[in-house]
Amino acid sequence: MGNSNVRRPYKGVFPVVPTVFDADGRLDLEGQKRAVDFMIDAGSHGLCILANFSEQFVLTDTERDLILDTVLNHVAGRVPVIVTTTHFASHICAERSRRAQQAGAAMVMVMPPYHGATVRVRESAIHEFYRTVSDAISIPIMIQDAPVAGTPMSAAFLAGMARELANICYFKIEVPQAAAKLRELIALGGEAIEGPWDGEEAITLMADLDAGATGAMTGGGYPDGIRQITDPYFAGRRDEAATAYERWLPLINYENRQCGLIACKALMKEGGVIKHETVRLPLQPLHPAVRAGLIEIASRLGPLVLRWGK
């Protein structure tokens, strides 16, 4: 265990780590460690585990704890690790967050409480939910503002929580018109907005960087490719970043629109990082034609993932 030497504010590329399963859908902890090692070698500034792209919704609580301890012990402070602790119940989310902090997490990421298509809570209850989580820990909280929650949270509401709640200071914005929301959030929240971040596999990355995003939480298959965009951008070379974005956009788009969370596993399997790209039922494997398209696009770009394990 142990926290990373990287200090706040956290910036750069923090991709989501897939949960690795064997051919029968059981946890493959050795494969999990190899996935983490690849992602660090590929230039990730930090990692995020147990997110939606990690299939957190198919894991038992015991499995969550096992992955948490395995990954944080294996990373051993090489990079900061964000742990997703989302749960509908305030006290359970707070307990998960406290457990993550004790294990060495640098930050927790939490979606607003929701269940199914219709079960939502009012704004005041969302505020109280995040207050409960904030009061339970002393590390930063990233609010994940994503369409899957179906919970509208205005920039003004988010900025208000950042000003009022001690640990609310990072925001992963991946709703439609993300760049506009990032601009408004930064303008309203000022110094309370420590980390305005891009998400959704970097499909809107350039627009979000122009709006002031300082971090990108992407899929885990090609952090080296995302850094070819963000590194020159943060160094003031926007034209170079835009050219790199245009080069990588076909793969970003294919992951986002055709493959979803399986893209990372397919790339890692193809490159010998992991032995299996299994997803748990009822999720289905990629259609062979879709998988072939993914590998063909990636091969033209040559990300590290396709040769790391070979």
Side-chain angles (χ1 to χ4, degrees), residues 1 12 19 36 48 69-70 106 109 111 146-147 151 157 159 169 192 214 219 221 225 240 252 268 293:
M1 284 187 244
T19 299
V36 164
C48 177
D69 290 334
T70 298
M109 183 168 73
M111 299 188 73
T151 304
F157 177 63
C169 47
T214 58
E240 182 183 334
I252 292 169
M268 287 187 176

Side-chain angles (χ1 to χ4, degrees), residues 20-41:
V20 182
F21 302 113
D22 66 16
D24 297 320
R26 296 176 297 234
L27 293 183
D28 176 1
L29 296 180
E30 290 308 309
Q32 192 72 59
K33 294 174 188 176
R34 282 177 61 82
V36 164
D37 287 339
F38 153 71
M39 292 172 68
I40 294 174
D41 285 353

Side-chain angles (χ1 to χ4, degrees), residues 253-282:
N253 181 72
Y254 202 86
E255 177 183 22
N256 181 266
R257 295 292 187 240
Q258 305 299 326
C259 302
L261 61 86
I262 309 177
C264 177
K265 291 187 176 185
L267 290 169
M268 287 187 176
K269 168 65 165 55
E270 187 71 17
V273 179
I274 59 177
K275 294 180 180 179
H276 303 282
E277 58 195 76
T278 310
V279 289
R280 279 186 169 171
L281 295 173

Side-chain angles (χ1 to χ4, degrees), residues 46-257:
L47 303 172
C48 177
I49 63 172
L50 297 171
N52 291 331
F53 253 47
S54 311
E55 298 172 75
Q56 59 87 13
F57 41 79
V58 302
L59 301 173
T60 67
D61 286 347
T62 299
E63 288 173 328
R64 284 181 53 89
D65 286 345
L66 185 55
I67 291 167
L68 173 70
D69 290 334
T70 298
V71 171
L72 284 165
N73 282 325
H74 187 66
V75 171
R78 285 178 284 170
V79 295
V81 178
I82 301 170
V83 178
T84 305
T85 57
T86 297
H87 196 283
F88 187 90
S90 302
H91 77 284
I92 297 176
C93 187
E95 288 170 2
R96 283 183 173 183
S97 301
R98 190 182 300 110
R99 169 86 166 80
Q101 177 176 312
Q102 291 169 348
M107 187 190 310
V108 295
M109 183 168 73
V110 180
M111 299 188 73
Y114 74 97
H115 178 70
T118 60
V119 180
R120 304 290 183 274
V121 299
R122 63 188 182 278
E123 208 169 72
S124 60
I126 295 172
H127 188 284
E128 188 58 30
F129 169 85
Y130 280 112
R131 179 186 297 280
T132 299
V133 178
S134 180
D135 288 348
I137 57 176
S138 59
I139 56 176
I141 298 169
M142 173 177 283
I143 295 180
Q144 183 178 5
D145 185 20
V148 67
T151 304
M153 295 184 290
S154 69
F157 177 63
L158 294 175
M161 285 198 291
R163 290 192 302 268
E164 296 160 18
L165 304 180
N167 297 310
I168 304 290
C169 47
Y170 285 78
F171 299 85
K172 181 186 179 186
I173 306 297
E174 45 192 350
V175 293
Q177 291 82 54
K181 191 164 189 176
L182 281 164
R183 280 194 184 89
E184 186 178 3
L185 176 64
I186 293 166
L188 293 172
E191 293 183 357
I193 311 301
E194 184 174 315
W197 282 21
D198 165 85
E200 203 182 5
E201 300 80 74
I203 194 71
T204 59
L205 180 56
M206 277 303 297
D208 294 344
L209 290 171
D210 285 341
T214 58
M217 188 177 289
T218 62
Y222 43 100
D224 50 328
I226 302 300
R227 281 200 60 173
Q228 290 180 28
I229 304 163
T230 57
D231 283 5
Y233 191 95
F234 293 137
R237 304 191 304 273
R238 188 189 183 282
D239 289 348
E240 182 183 334
T243 298
Y245 182 64
E246 291 173 5
R247 186 167 61 251
W248 286 90
L249 187 56
L251 183 57
I252 292 169
N253 181 72
Y254 202 86
E255 177 183 22
N256 181 266
R257 295 292 187 240

